[in-house]
């Protein structure tokens, strides 16, 4: 439980942090909340020569709606997301998500940026961000780079974030009226990673049909999974039980879970289906549908 | 039961606030890792990644170069002192450090001694071990097949992996009863390996004082005296003599049986301190604790009941394969390699019974009884309560009704069971009835029927258990030959206050309070004025420690008996002071008064003062007594638990809606503490029923080696327990008390398992093994075509 | 192996320390400052025995580096009692038998201290959720809930 030695830097500004990242390259890691990184280092499953702590840099923690987006600073703590009134009332899918990340103590340190940047398919925000169609803002030595979330997750523990960049902001398009979302996570106990989880964000049209939908799954593949086929299927249809059921089938089909203590491949895939059905149903209810 | 003493005196029956709490609520507890000694060094352990492998070489060169590292100890080092193997508490042998091969994943391979905690960890990382993997045996059935690799190659003539065969009861009579029965049911069940995972892991500081030739070891141990004697016997040849060994058990952060065994880390740290001449601290981390320390359960049981058509059980038969890991290191009494498993006739009047248990070696850590199980009673009761429900299902009889029909009636106590136990007292019917009333049994059955019609899954499970505690009478019980009495040394000071020392060791059970309450009850000295000490072998009278819920039955009794010896001397002093004959005195609530003249009296405080200032001629001064209590029998607490579950048809998730526990532990010393024991036991009963399991893949890799996968319940998974009591005193215990620490861990798992099976019974389900994971339930629902 | 000079205020007292980058906050508190009330119970950030308040927020001090606490305020169990007067939570745990072996207790106290600071009258569900990052093996959690409710009522009266 003791990490191997490393050097630690606590830059006071973002340019300083970026300079350090450029200097040390792959031998450096960003320390944000540390709740994924420090456990790895303590078990000596990962190693680094330099920790660049971005905890002293002002202006990285905020939640505000601006110019058509909900903008969240990369270092915003999960507990702040959970407590945010804007998020609870207008982005319930995100409130659902923040509430089930690890446990309340971990959430006081863990950050949304860390949760996305770690590239762990077991983390909860990635699927939600896919469902919301979010954008990731990475700041590097040459300035800001905005990436659609669909291009962010490359593989197991690999994201599009470069080693000389810091994830400084997440942007979520403000949903139109008649929108609702939900994140449902099946976990063996509080604090566990998802056996499977489903994120559903729905906008209903005037006639009650689905106008827009984002659907994604947690921990049933090496990366978070966007259920694109299921999304396409839903658009334009009324969200009745049969339709939602068919969409959930399609979503489960694109999952490729690995067997572990949380469940067999078959069970996890089936749970992806069950949770997707339930998440869609709840999202539709919250969107004002029935 | 109304307390006989006032709240100020705080005798039995008072829920007095605990005397030990002031230090714990301030963070001023004194746990092993809190202790720092001058010059102290740190030890950390290199462990094997393989479950079975030859050690080809250990290269310590890099490790010795790590700043702060002073030494690396290997099996070769210890072999020089013949300390590389040690006896287990069951008279088997186990390695301290290997010289040839390792036999379980995470086994100790070498130890690094360094000047700091962090340097020791770096040293461990730098030790290079070259292994040659050997074939691994993890399946206990395969371990018994001809041609299976023989694991204990250290035992010269051993040709197989068998450890022991043990049986009890009448095989032939039982077979006959089965042959003649109207109904027979049979069920195989597996109770998986689990780990107690106290929040404090194990550790020690071994401090060998070269000048005085004295070894002091601060240790997380539930049985300090037994440890001291074992050390003296094992290391006598290197000059450690029992009077120069002191084991100190300071505050312990939870024991539950996991802190009874002698772990290799303790022995290595001691050897290191003796050789280096400085204190050596070793504190294991959680993954080491889960992967290497003593486990519990791992019993493969086939249970059978024979019965008449009307539901009367006529016979019971059980056959068990016990997976012990690579050594038999279960901390059982020596004549009981399967512990007290023969309690498996449970609460029922079973006339004929036969049980047999076979122990087998596998490539896993050794252990067997380290999880609040009263020496295999959890396994026994799980089996009988499950097979009873299987019988109820077969007979289409309500499980409560079947139990009521078969309970040992009150008039039959003391009851001689078919497997040889004499149950001291019991009154099972009222306990079950109370549980049924409190949970609203009839209404729940009605609700279940309505829900079933709508396809909703709801279950009601009952467990009516009998526990067996207080090991134990010297004619049957010993550990490594040491009889299982326990002791109290009680001394009253001139100002009427007292100090009481015991041979047990609390790890949170509240002895500093409850033992004081016993003295208060017997002598009328306020419990607040009785100082209780345990755990230092230099001062405490000899005892076998605290586990298997034995403290109240043995040491608690010793406390009462010591107090009564003091009362007898006090009578004589009072007689001297009052100038009457001792027979003219009446004792009540802290004073002796003259028969017929109650205003002429002397309080215990006045008597105590006189013991030092005005004792009768011819009598020794002072007022103290020692009692070594050899219990005449074990005690048999019991209870009935009822659990209501709702099952999510889509995910298979089981949710406990309500859980009512009716416990009978005889006369109660401190009701609040008893309830606390029951709450804790219930959560530790729910855990293996739904969440916890240690399993191994075919290469012997531990699949639950950290809290990531070893699922200890949080306050969210743990329901709000509802607890109630009946009181049936023990006829042989001086206080009528029975003990209670493990009852709930015994009674809860089958109540939950029975509830889940009950929820699925209409689909034809007869049994589900614990832990009942959501996937297990989902598979059943899928198979039966009723998944969401 | 870089070392850093840091200053951490613990229970209102400022401490100077020289620490390795990798030193965990819990080890700073226990080993260097000898405040051994904060305990260690696991190595995977699950058990919460190490819970302290960092600038008023309960965190697992085994998963925070000492250097991260530089210039910040830490509150540990040793700071709950003020001038000989126990904190209502300490009283509640004592009164309601909310502890047995005492090992998880400091972590429970710090977590629930922060809970009662933000929620005056938490329900049983809220209490259980708030302590879901703190494991206890002894109590079965029932009496911990009662202890917190006792303290909430006591704090309500004192307000």
């Amino acid at each position: 439980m003791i990490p191997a030695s490393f050097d630690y830097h606590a830059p006071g500004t973002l340019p300083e942090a970026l300079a350090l990242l450029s200097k040390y390259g792959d031998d450096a890691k960003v320390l944000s909340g540390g709740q994924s990184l420090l456990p790895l280092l303590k078990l000596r499953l990962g190693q680094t020569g330099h920790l660049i702590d971005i905890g002293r840099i002002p202006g990285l923690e905020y939640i505000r709606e601006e110019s058509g987006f909900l903008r969240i600073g990369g270092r915003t703590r999960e507990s702040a997301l959970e407590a945010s009134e804007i998020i609870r009332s207008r982005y319930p899918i995100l409130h659902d998500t923040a509430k089930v990340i690890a446990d309340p103590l971990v959430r006081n340190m863990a950050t949304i940026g860390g949760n996305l940047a770690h590239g762990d398919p077991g983390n909860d925000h990635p699927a939600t961000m896919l469902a919301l169609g979010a954008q990731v803002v990475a700041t590097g030595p040459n300035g800001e780079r905005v990436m659609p979330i669909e291009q962010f997750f490359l593989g197991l523990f690999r994201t599009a974030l470069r080693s000389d960049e810091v994830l400084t902001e997440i942007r979520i398009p403000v949903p139109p009226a008649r929108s609702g979302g939900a994140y449902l996570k099946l976990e063996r106990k509080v604090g566990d990673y998802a056996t499977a989880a489903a994120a559903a964000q729905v906008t209903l049209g005037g006639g009650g049909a689905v106008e827009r939908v984002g659907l994604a799954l947690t921990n049933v593949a090496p990366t978070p999974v966007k259920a694109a086929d299921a999304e396409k299927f839903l658009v334009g249809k009324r969200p009745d039980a049969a339709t939602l059921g068919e969409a959930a089938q399609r979503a489960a089909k694109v999952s490729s879970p690995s067997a572990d203590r949380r469940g067999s491949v078959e069970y996890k895939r089936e749970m992806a289906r069950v949770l997707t059905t339930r998440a869609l149903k709840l999202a539709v209810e919250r969107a004002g549908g029935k | 039961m109304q307390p006989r003493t006032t709240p100020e005196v705080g005798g039995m029956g008072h829920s007095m606030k605990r005397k030990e709490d002031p230090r714990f609520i301030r963070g001023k507890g004194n746990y092993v890792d809190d202790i720092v000694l001058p010059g102290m060094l740190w030890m950390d352990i290199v462990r094997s990644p393989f479950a079975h492998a030859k050690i080809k070489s250990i290269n310590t060169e890099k490790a010795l170069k790590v700043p702060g590292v002073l030494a690396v100890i290997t099996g070769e080092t210890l072999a020089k002192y013949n300390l590389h193997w040690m006896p287990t508490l069951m008279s088997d042998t186990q390695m301290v450090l290997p010289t040839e091969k390792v036999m379980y994943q995470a086994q100790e391979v070498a130890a690094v001694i360094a000047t700091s905690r962090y340097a020791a960890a770096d040293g461990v990382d730098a030790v290079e071990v070259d292994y040659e993997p050997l074939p691994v045996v993890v399946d206990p059935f395969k371990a018994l097949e001809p041609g299976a690799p023989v694991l204990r190659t250290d035992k010269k003539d051993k040709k197989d992996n068998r450890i022991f065969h043990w049986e009890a009861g009448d095989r032939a009579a039982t077979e006959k009863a089965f042959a003649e029965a109207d109904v027979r049911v049979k069920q195989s069940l597996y109770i998986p390996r689990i780990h107690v995972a106290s929040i404090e892991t194990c550790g020690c500081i071994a401090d060998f004082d070269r000048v005085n030739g004295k070894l002091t070891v601060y240790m997380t141990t539930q049985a300090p005296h037994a440890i001291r004697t074992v050390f003296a016997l094992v290391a006598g040849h290197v000059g450690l003599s029992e009077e120069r060994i002191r084991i100190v058990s300071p505050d312990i952060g939870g024991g539950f049986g996991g802190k009874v065994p002698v772990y290799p880390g303790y022995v290595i740290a001691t050897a290191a301190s003796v050789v280096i001449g400085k204190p050596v601290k070793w504190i294991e981390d959680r993954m080491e604790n889960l992967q290497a320390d003593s486990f519990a359960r791992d019993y493969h049981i086939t249970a059978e009941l024979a019965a008449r058509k009307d539901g009367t059980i006529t016979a019971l038969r059980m056959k068990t394969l016990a997976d012990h890991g690579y050594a038999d290191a279960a901390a059982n009494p020596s004549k009981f390699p399967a512990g007290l498993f023969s309690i498996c006739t449970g609460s029922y009047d079973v006339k004929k019974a036969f049980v047999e248990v076979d122990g087998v070696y596998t490539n896993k850590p050794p252990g067997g009884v380290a999880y609040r199980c009263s020496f295999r009673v959890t396994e026994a009761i799980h089996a009988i309560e499950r097979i009873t429900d299987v019988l109820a299902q077969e007979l289409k009889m309500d499980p409560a009704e079947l139990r009521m029909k078969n309970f040992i009636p009150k008039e039959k106590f003391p009851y001689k069971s078919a497997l040889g136990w004499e149950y001291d007292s019991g009154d099972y019917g009222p306990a079950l009835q109370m549980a049924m009333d409190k949970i609203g049994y009839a209404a729940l059955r009605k609700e279940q029927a309505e829900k079933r019609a709508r396809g909703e899954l709801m279950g009601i499970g009952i467990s009516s258990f009998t526990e067996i505690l207080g090991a134990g009478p010297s004619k049957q019980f010993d550990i490594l030959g040491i009889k299982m009495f326990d002791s109290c040394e009680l001394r009253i000071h001139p100002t009427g206050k007292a100090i009481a020392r015991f041979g047990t060791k609390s790890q949170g059970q509240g002895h500093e309070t409850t033992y004081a309450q016993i003295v208060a009850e017997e002598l009328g000295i306020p419990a607040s004025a009785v100082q209780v000490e345990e755990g230092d072998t230099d001062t405490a009278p000899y005892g076998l420690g605290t586990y298997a819920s034995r403290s109240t039955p043995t040491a608690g009794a010793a406390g009462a008996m010591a107090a009564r010896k003091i009362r007898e001397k006090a009578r004589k002093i009072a007689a001297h002071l009052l100038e009457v004959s001792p027979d003219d005195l009446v004792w009540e609530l802290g004073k002796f008064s003259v028969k017929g003249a109650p205003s002429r009296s002397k309080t215990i405080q006045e008597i105590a003062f006189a013991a030092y200032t005005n004792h009768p001629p011819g009598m020794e001064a002072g007022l103290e007594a020692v009692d070594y209590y050899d219990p005449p029998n074990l005690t048999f607490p019991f209870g009935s638990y009822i659990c209501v579950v709702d099952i999510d048809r889509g995910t298979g998730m089981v949710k406990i809606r309500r859980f009512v526990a009716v416990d009978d532990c005889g006369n109660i010393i401190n009701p609040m503490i008893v309830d606390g024991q029951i709450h804790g036991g219930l959560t530790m009963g729910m855990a293996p029923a739904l969440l916890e399991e240690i399993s191994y893949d075919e290469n012997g890799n531990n699949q639950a080696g950290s809290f990531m996968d070893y699922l200890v319940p949080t306050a969210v998974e743990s329901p709000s327990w509802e607890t109630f009591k009946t009181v049936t005193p023990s006829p042989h215990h001086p206080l009528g008390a029975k003990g209670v620490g493990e009852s709930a861990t015994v009674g809860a798992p089958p109540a939950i398992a029975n509830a889940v099976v009950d929820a699925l019974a209409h689909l034809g389900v007869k049994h589900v093994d614990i832990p009942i994971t959501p996937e297990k339930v989902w598979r059943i629902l899928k198979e039966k075509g009723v998944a969401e | 192996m870089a070392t850093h000079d840091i200053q951490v205020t613990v229970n209102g007292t400022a401490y100077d320390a020289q620490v390795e980058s990798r030193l965990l906050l819990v080890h700073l508190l226990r080993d260097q400052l000898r405040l051994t009330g904060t305990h260690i119970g696991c190595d995977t950030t699950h058990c919460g025995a190490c819970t302290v308040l960092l600038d008023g927020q309960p965190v697992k001090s085994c998963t925070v580096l000492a250097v991260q606490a530089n210039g910040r305020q830490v509150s540990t169990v040793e700071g709950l009692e003020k001038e000989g007067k126990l904190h209502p939570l300490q009283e509640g745990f004592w009164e309601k038998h909310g502890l047995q072996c005492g090992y998880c207790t400091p972590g429970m106290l710090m977590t629930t201290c922060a809970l009662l600071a933000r929620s005056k009258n938490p329900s049983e569900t809220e209490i259980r959720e708030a302590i879901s990052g703190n494991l206890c093996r002894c109590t079965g959690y029932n009496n911990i809930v009662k202890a917190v409710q006792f303290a909430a009522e006591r704090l309500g009266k004192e307000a």
Side-chain angles (χ1 to χ4, degrees), chain A residues 31-101:
Chain A
L31 177 65
S32 187
Q35 303 300 285
S36 292
L37 181 58
L38 291 178
L40 269 181
L41 294 177
K42 283 165 64 181
L43 294 178
R44 302 198 183 201
L45 293 173
Q47 191 149 305
T48 187
H50 300 267
L51 273 194
I52 315 298
D53 184 359
I54 59 169
R56 313 274 170 186
I57 299 170
L60 290 181
E61 293 184 42
Y62 51 86
I63 303 169
R64 55 175 181 262
E65 279 178 324
E66 203 179 270
S67 319
F69 285 91
L70 174 69
R71 301 168 72 135
I72 306 175
R75 211 189 60 218
T76 305
R77 311 282 166 180
E78 303 294 357
S79 51
L81 295 178
E82 192 183 347
S84 157
E85 186 52 36
I86 304 175
I87 289 176
R88 198 192 55 77
S89 58
R90 294 158 63 69
Y91 303 82
I93 184 179
L94 192 45
H95 179 78
D96 287 349
T97 309
K99 265 184 68 158
V100 295
I101 292 172

Side-chain angles (χ1 to χ4, degrees), chain B residues 347-507:
Chain B
S347 309
Y348 311 114
D349 191 4
V350 181
K351 302 285 194 298
K352 304 274 181 260
F354 177 71
V355 298
E356 51 184 330
V357 179
D358 287 283
V360 63
Y361 290 128
T362 58
N363 285 120
K364 298 170 190 165
V369 292
Y371 194 123
R372 209 163 180 170
C373 67
S374 310
F375 298 135
R376 300 290 186 184
V377 179
T378 42
E379 292 91 318
I381 298 302
H382 196 84
I384 180 65
E385 286 304 293
R386 270 272 61 241
I387 195 70
T388 298
D389 256 32
V390 170
L391 178 63
Q393 206 179 11
E394 180 72 18
L395 293 169
K396 295 187 175 32
M397 205 169 160
D398 179 279
E401 195 193 328
L402 181 62
R403 284 173 169 81
M404 288 289 197
K405 193 178 183 61
N406 284 285
F407 279 154
I408 302 162
K410 186 176 181 179
E411 317 77 70
K412 277 201 169 179
F413 288 87
Y415 170 82
K416 197 97 211 282
S417 85
L419 293 174
W421 298 113
E422 188 181 276
Y423 295 20
D424 59 359
S425 65
D427 195 4
Y428 301 140
L432 177 55
Q433 191 59 55
M434 182 186 281
M436 291 168 72
D437 294 341
K438 295 291 183 188
I439 207 154
Y441 188 75
L444 284 170
R445 283 291 176 206
K446 193 159 166 288
E447 183 194 343
Q448 183 183 46
E450 288 162 7
K451 283 206 150 91
R452 252 179 206 166
R454 296 198 296 269
E456 289 171 45
L457 301 169
M458 166 195 165
I460 306 153
I462 301 173
S463 155
S464 294
F465 65 93
T466 293
E467 253 273 56
I468 173 173
L469 308 179
S474 56
K475 56 185 185 301
Q476 283 176 301
F477 293 92
D478 69 272
I479 292 193
L480 283 182
I482 306 171
K483 298 295 182 184
M484 296 183 72
F485 50 81
D486 226 286
S487 58
C488 169
E489 179 190 299
L490 176 60
R491 178 175 306 127
I492 317 298
H493 306 318
T495 54
K497 313 289 196 279
I499 182 164
R501 295 185 168 125
F502 294 83
T504 48
K505 176 60 207 174
S506 175
Q507 321 104 44

